[in-house]
Amino acid sequence: MRFDILTIFPGMFESFMRETLIAKAIKKKRMAIYVHNIRRATNDKHHTVDDRPYGGGPGMILKVDPILKTLRMLPKKKKRRIILLSPQGTQFSQKVARRLAGYEQIILISGRYEGFDHRVTKYVDEELSIGPYVMSGGEIPAMVVVETVSRLIPGVIGHPEATRDETYSGSPDYVEYPQYTRPPVYRRQSVPKVLLSGNHKEIRAWRQFHSRRRKSGSRAA
Ligand code: SAM
């Protein structure tokens, strides 16, 4: 899987790509991330990527041309998806992540300021929002998408079964069972006895029971 990220703040991705599972997956060649500074696709002295909105109003708008020029410079894999990160987009979810994991190339366009010239939407396949709130930029939303999708790429997670029983894995209201590690008692809170029993059948049953979510949103008691 290849991710291409368009941004005006490429430095924000440096530690993201250098650390954690992402760095390991890149090293193992399970995925690749290329970060593109859209300022590079400008010709003027100040590398201008934004301008005032027609009709007036606060803030600046990202221009179409540097984004389109950057898109056109990218290598093109057969199965690719161009995504505009926007609070107005479809809500990102585990289901959307599973769908995106089937592509060979995902291009994520991060906005800043007051967002994009609306004509950018003509050149993308979909608009995605990471949640019903407004952030100052699309860089963190891009990282959210990369991290969530990359967990689903074969070979990225050391134990592939870890993603099988995870929260949201089966359905949008599935919640994983509670997990514990040593010590067995911490400040008078004990680990449920069954988890220390070594009886795998009972442990499976306990986990199954405690992984169901009630309609109210709380766990089974
Ligand atoms: N004026 C825009 C609006 O009202 O829809 C908001 C622009 S926001 C300040 C700047 C950029 O941050 C957006 O263009 C988008 O790329 C990114 N962004 C902000 N919130 C986001 C969200 N919830 N999901 C995805 N991207 C988001």
Side-chain angles (χ1 to χ4, degrees):
M1 163 83 74
R2 174 188 168 114
F3 292 95
D4 288 282
I5 300 168
L6 276 61
T7 173
I8 56 169
F9 293 120
M12 285 182 72
F13 294 91
E14 280 169 19
S15 86
F16 178 69
M17 297 192 317
R18 229 186 15 240
E19 302 187 49
T20 75
L21 271 182
I22 300 281
K24 278 192 190 160
I26 292 172
K27 215 169 161 191
K28 285 195 287 181
K29 298 206 182 326
R30 301 289 174 183
M31 60 187 266
I33 303 178
Y34 296 89
V35 182
H36 310 276
N37 187 346
I38 61 170
R39 281 193 198 282
R40 291 239 171 111
T42 54
N43 299 319
D44 64 304
K45 196 169 117 197
H46 300 291
H47 299 287
T48 312
V49 288
D50 58 327
D51 209 336
R52 287 190 300 272
Y54 278 123
M60 301 295 271
I61 306 296
L62 285 172
K63 291 152 74 77
V64 194
D65 193 56
I67 294 173
L68 186 58
K69 278 192 178 138
T70 309
L71 282 177
R72 291 201 164 141
M73 283 188 294
L74 300 181
K76 212 170 170 177
K77 296 238 181 208
K78 244 193 204 155
K79 276 194 86 182
R80 77 167 189 173
R81 197 81 178 152
I82 304 179
I83 296 169
L84 190 72
L85 294 157
S86 161
Q88 303 173 17
T90 307
Q91 181 111 9
F92 184 58
S93 64
Q94 195 66 27
K95 192 174 169 200
V96 173
R98 276 196 294 272
R99 170 170 63 78
L100 295 180
Y103 285 92
E104 293 172 281
Q105 182 180 19
I106 292 177
I107 299 165
L108 297 160
I109 309 175
S110 310
R112 276 276 154 181
Y113 314 127
E114 284 311 307
F116 306 94
D117 180 317
H118 188 69
R119 290 168 289 190
V120 170
T121 58
K122 189 171 179 293
Y123 304 102
V124 305
D125 300 308
E126 63 184 297
E127 291 181 52
L128 278 187
S129 163
I130 59 158
Y133 42 78
V134 179
M135 298 188 68
S136 298
E139 288 75 15
I140 290 171
M143 293 180 206
V144 168
V145 174
V146 171
E147 242 194 52
T148 313
V149 173
S150 61
R151 291 174 61 75
L152 305 172
I153 300 170
V156 168
I157 299 267
H159 306 281
E161 67 277 13
T163 59
R164 199 189 50 211
D165 292 338
E166 259 180 344
T167 300
Y168 303 127
S169 56
S171 67
D173 61 358
Y174 176 84
V175 179
E176 192 184 56
Y177 44 82
Q179 304 254 40
Y180 300 86
T181 185
R182 282 186 283 189
V185 182
Y186 183 73
R187 297 194 174 200
R188 285 188 285 163
Q189 283 197 82
S190 301
V191 172
K193 276 205 181 81
V194 62
L195 299 180
L196 310 175
S197 69
N199 184 330
H200 294 292
K201 198 172 159 205
E202 280 184 17
I203 292 172
R204 238 187 343 267
W206 184 92
R207 286 182 167 168
Q208 220 168 27
F209 182 74
H210 285 271
S211 64
R212 293 206 183 107
R213 191 184 242 190
R214 282 185 175 162
K215 272 208 173 112
S216 64
S218 62
R219 288 178 195 279

